[in-house]
Amino acid sequence: MDYKEYIGKILGDGGVLAKELPGYKARPGQLRMAGDVADAIQNGHDLVVEAGTGTGKTFAYLLPSIISKKKVLVSTQTRNLQDQISEKDLPRLIGMLGDEMQIRTAVLKGRTGYLCLKRMDDLEAEQKVSGFQETISFGDGGAVKSRNSGSEEKNEEEFRKLQEFASRSETGDLDTLRGVPASSMLLNFVISSKYTCVGQKCPHAQDCFVNRARARALEADITVVNHALYFIGRKLDVDSNHEAKILPDADVVVFDEAHSVEQTARGAFSDRFSSREADEMLKEIRRALLQLRKKGGASSGGKAGNDTDRAFDELENAVSRVRTSQIEFRNALQETMTAAGEKGPYGSQSQANLAPLMKSGRCADAGKALLADVRKLRALLLVLAAPDDGSVGETAKAYADLSAEISRAAVLRLEDGFSKVRGVFESLSASFAEAASLLETLFNGIENDNVCVFAECFASSFAITSAPVDVSESFRKYVLSDTDAVRVFTSATMAVADSADPFSHFKRSIGLSDTAQDIVPSPFNYEEQGLIYVPCNLPDVKSSDRIGVLSRLMAGIIGEVPGGVFVLCTS
């Protein structure tokens, strides 16, 4: 097949698209870009192509990808753009190509984008005993009960909608959920979470929405992912070298919105301890303990009953101590940053390099207390996750100073129903051990000129991040090391003006060297037909009045424009 000739028959004047889409006009830039992509796929080389707004980039890379009959991953910046490509652009283009080009497509999102059937079962069982408000309040340590846990009637209605969604949805994709607001506290209890996933031990392993999504991606010819999932998946797949991969192997990887890959890759290749994420783990520990209490029944009295009560108290106190220590450390960070005059970017109250902060007596003391409490909870979780009594003994030896606490906590292994929650403790133990190890490493400092370790304070949480300054080395290791794949990077904004190589900055930032490249100009005459208008005095982005004010403003502008109007939003 002559790819370029075939592309011309689809995208050119009088072609398939012209016949199928009223008012369609062939765009030379789109044909040019599609030819560039076809050459890259046929000849097995990487491509960087900037195509101005209005070129028709999506069809320009999708069409060559489809007709190549190769395994293709399309990665874009957001889940909204994933849905745009997978639900609109791909089906429309495939439908116009006829039976000869029928291919299988899939969309793959991060774990938290899917409903968890096991967590739905757990929530249903818990609410039958305690009601939704008590269940939510217990998992959050009582912090949300008076704030936003919602009325029991509202929670029941939202749960019914979640049940309906779970029973009728083919994908479990929460972006398709209707009738339950994103602010619903129930969603925190039913989204798929790495902290509570028990893998093949789960009774819903065969029906798991995450597993099914990954299976569809393995079978598909074209899979649409987002940048964050792609880079995190590549890091996990390369580092673990495990057969069960997050991402399917691909012959071609297309990075749409490629101007953002450096920033997204930096986030994916960073190590980050977040007190907010740690709080989510603490909530899951509380939920598992609550389930065990209810399955084991009330204390039967006597020595055995007292031992059980002390074991529960030991774990619950350890959870509370970590939570309290996190608050105290966050307050110490904020106080030290404020004294130093440090401020943060939008979304955080303050931000600063960690090392100077830890020289403060208050931060150092609060950090030591937090590490001690984290270490204790980690030891107790290891006891509950241990496969046998021998492993419990090994944990006791490793944490000799906590032997009494470990002995008390081990009593819970004898409780009725422990086998039902042990898988959750195993998962939580692994996640908490990873988080605890990272926190200790960050506190001790990292001697690497290419790593920046900084702390951020938010209204009620903190985060510590170890981020690569230059991501090119990591990008080469996790992305460019796949020498069998062709990579296409495209965006409307990648080139740098007045440069011998307009893509030099972009390529250097991700470690890309030998590659074909092209700049396709926009079909729009901006100089003569474009006008930039920056509205002043708009309400704050968080204001409930903003959408109304902006809508009225746009309506006035649209009324003055004789032609059509395309409104482009940031999300």
Side-chain angles (χ1 to χ4, degrees), residues 343-351 456-458 540-543:
K343 296 182 179 180
Y346 178 79
S348 66
Q349 291 188 352
S350 51
Q351 181 184 94
E456 296 171 279
C457 277
F458 305 93
D540 185 87
V541 291
K542 296 180 180 179
S543 171

Side-chain angles (χ1 to χ4, degrees), residues 132-168:
F132 286 111
Q133 284 186 306
E134 183 179 336
T135 298
I136 293 172
S137 176
F138 184 89
D140 201 49
V144 300
K145 190 167 186 178
S146 62
R147 189 169 73 246
N148 56 358
S149 57
S151 68
E152 195 68 13
E153 293 78 11
K154 180 182 177 183
N155 288 328
E156 288 174 358
E157 176 61 25
E158 289 179 353
F159 187 69
R160 280 195 293 272
K161 291 179 179 178
L162 285 169
Q163 287 179 311
E164 293 172 3
F165 176 76
S167 63
R168 64 176 169 75

Side-chain angles (χ1 to χ4, degrees), residues 264-278:
T264 309
R266 178 175 289 108
F269 300 152
S270 296
D271 292 318
R272 178 181 173 90
F273 178 91
S274 164
S275 66
R276 187 171 297 169
E277 289 188 16

Side-chain angles (χ1 to χ4, degrees), residues 486-513:
V486 169
R487 286 160 290 268
V488 176
F489 301 88
T490 184
S491 171
T493 51
M494 287 191 295
V496 178
D498 301 322
S499 172
D501 179 358
F503 293 111
S504 58
H505 173 74
F506 174 78
K507 292 188 295 184
R508 185 170 57 250
S509 71
I510 61 173
L512 191 63
S513 52

Side-chain angles (χ1 to χ4, degrees), residues 16 34 122 178 246 274 312 319 465:
V16 173
D122 291 343
R178 300 293 179 265
I246 303 295
S274 164
F312 277 117
V319 168
T465 303

Side-chain angles (χ1 to χ4, degrees), residues 9-24:
K9 291 180 179 179
I10 303 299
L11 301 178
D13 287 321
V16 173
L17 263 66
K19 296 175 182 177
E20 293 288 338
L21 301 177
Y24 176 84

Side-chain angles (χ1 to χ4, degrees), residues 118-119 122 193-203 284-285 288-289 291-292 295 381-387 412-413 417-432:
K118 178 182 180 300
R119 300 189 81 197
D122 291 343
S193 167
K194 67 178 181 179
Y195 306 130
T196 56
C197 179
V198 296
Q200 292 304 308
K201 296 178 183 178
C202 179
E284 295 304 333
I285 296 171
L289 290 172
Q291 291 179 46
L292 188 56
K295 289 176 180 177
L381 287 174
L382 285 172
V383 169
L384 298 181
L412 295 183
R413 296 169 58 87
F418 178 76
S419 60
K420 298 289 183 64
V421 296
R422 180 174 152 190
V424 175
F425 281 123
E426 288 179 355
S427 180
L428 284 167
S429 175
S431 295
F432 208 87

